[in-house]
Amino acid sequence: MLQAPDYIDVDLQNVTGATRFSWKASDGLTLSAHIWDPDTPRNPTVLCLSGLTRNTRDFYQLANFLRENGHRVIAMDYRGRGLSDHSKDYETYSLDQEADDIDRGIEALGLEKFALIGTSRGGLHSFSMAQRHPERLLSVIINDIGPVIEPPALDDIVASVGTVMSQPNMKAAAERLASIHATAFPTISEMDWVTFANQLYAPNSDGVSLRYDKCLGDTLRGDKKVAPEDDLWLSFSALKPFPHLLLHGQNSRLLTTKTVKKMQQLHEKMELSVIPNQGHAPLLWDQPTQTRILNFIRQHV
């Protein structure tokens, strides 16, 4: 439900249809997730992990689609993102700490086996999940990330995170997103950019602000990097025994066709879906992609 002229999508802002779940991190932070429970559940449960600065609302449309088709969906906010607590120590915004947070959330939820969807940073977490807890994974869907993260795209991320955090209103936020990403997403409509803005921004007394701790930028520009310096090919190899589907944005600058081809060579059974007219990372809004995800997770229960 869109409220003009403010362009606030109330349902998306409130994650209508989902329930909140919270748990404690090892350092006492309260972490948050949203859960979409179907009326008549069927396996598998689906766990969704978002990108670096993103939050559970990225999965709002996909989660509602999967719930309508009988699947329980859980999307987690990393520490310092979405509705999870911000840390006083920005160095805890690391992949290792997030992995521990995720594991504690899985234990608190009582999840035993699930399909995992990881967008960007969430895809890196899927690699490490396969190493830490292979017994939990039924299948994995990787949204536009691989063992090679292209330096120019990575540099752009590092330079932008935690800088311009606020806009006077949601329409201005949508216009800013379009000015940055329109080349990668050329078919997105004006109202689609407003929907995208509602995923990333929350209203406040001064306008709207991005839903993450601006100190995340200090983490990336400090000793903790946006991507691990370890051999990601070795990490990716942990997925080989599992059914996995790679979603690749046709216009992605972060994941190149060259890297995708090498991933296919090393993992011959990995399935691939190229999302046309989308960059990093595919939005997961379109019916063909949602249906491909649904069919894939149902094949591997």
Side-chain angles (χ1 to χ4, degrees):
M1 182 173 63
L2 194 64
Q3 291 187 346
D6 294 331
Y7 293 90
I8 303 298
D9 186 326
V10 176
D11 289 335
L12 183 49
Q13 290 292 329
N14 294 330
V15 198
T16 301
T19 57
R20 281 279 305 282
F21 178 83
S22 62
W23 72 100
K24 290 291 186 181
S26 59
D27 56 1
L29 293 188
T30 299
L31 305 176
S32 178
H34 281 101
I35 302 175
W36 288 260
D37 280 309
D39 294 332
T40 306
R42 61 178 292 177
N43 289 326
T45 292
V46 182
L47 177 63
C48 300
L49 300 175
S50 58
L52 174 67
T53 62
R54 308 290 271 273
N55 64 85
T56 61
R57 288 163 185 80
D58 269 12
F59 298 105
Y60 180 75
Q61 296 191 41
L62 175 64
N64 278 309
F65 171 78
L66 293 176
R67 179 186 59 182
E68 289 166 3
N69 284 276
H71 295 277
R72 187 185 193 214
V73 181
I74 301 162
M76 293 182 173
D77 282 331
Y78 306 130
R79 57 177 51 220
R81 286 80 140 191
L83 297 178
S84 289
D85 283 352
H86 293 190
S87 176
K88 294 179 180 178
D89 179 5
Y90 68 78
E91 290 191 353
T92 67
Y93 295 141
S94 65
L95 283 163
D96 287 345
Q97 180 62 60
E98 290 166 8
D100 184 70
D101 293 344
I102 292 164
D103 287 349
R104 288 172 181 268
I106 289 169
E107 292 293 336
L109 287 159
L111 295 181
E112 294 182 357
K113 290 184 178 292
F114 48 84
L116 177 58
I117 301 175
T119 293
S120 194
R121 190 175 182 91
L124 297 181
H125 280 302
S126 76
F127 298 178
S128 64
M129 178 69 73
Q131 294 174 302
R132 297 194 314 278
H133 295 291
E135 74 282 358
R136 291 175 171 166
L137 294 178
L138 293 170
S139 63
V140 174
I141 296 170
I142 311 159
N143 188 14
D144 209 59
I145 194 74
V148 177
I149 302 173
E150 295 302 313
L154 194 59
D155 290 345
D156 288 347
I157 292 171
V158 171
S160 65
V161 173
T163 53
V164 181
M165 296 293 294
S166 300
Q167 294 296 323
N169 52 56
M170 199 63 77
K171 189 172 189 296
E175 290 170 351
R176 174 171 173 78
L177 290 173
S179 71
I180 297 170
H181 300 292
T183 301
F185 294 85
T187 61
I188 296 297
S189 70
E190 182 178 351
M191 291 313 299
D192 285 337
W193 288 114
V194 172
T195 298
F196 191 28
N198 273 275
Q199 289 183 183
L200 273 61
Y201 289 81
N204 57 36
S205 58
D206 298 321
V208 297
S209 295
L210 289 165
R211 301 177 190 270
Y212 67 87
D213 184 353
K214 68 174 298 181
C215 292
L216 182 60
D218 297 327
T219 309
L220 306 184
R221 290 181 281 273
D223 293 333
K224 303 290 184 182
K225 304 301 181 185
V226 64
E229 296 180 350
D230 301 335
D231 183 358
L232 285 178
W233 288 109
L234 180 62
S235 181
F236 171 65
S237 70
L239 284 180
K240 192 166 188 177
F242 302 99
H244 51 298
L245 164 66
L246 175 64
L247 307 177
H248 181 212
Q250 181 186 37
N251 299 330
S252 177
R253 294 175 59 241
L254 202 79
L255 177 64
T256 64
T257 301
K258 178 181 177 181
T259 298
V260 170
K261 288 180 178 178
K262 184 173 179 180
M263 292 168 75
Q264 289 179 297
Q265 290 170 357
L266 293 175
H267 293 194
E268 294 177 355
K269 294 183 179 180
M270 182 186 80
E271 297 186 31
L272 172 66
S273 179
V274 178
I275 315 300
N277 297 312
Q278 295 198 31
H280 182 80
L283 298 169
L284 312 182
W285 296 351
D286 62 287
Q287 191 69 38
T289 299
Q290 292 181 353
T291 301
R292 179 71 188 273
I293 290 170
L294 175 66
N295 291 338
F296 182 78
I297 65 172
R298 284 187 172 178
Q299 290 169 8
H300 307 289
V301 180

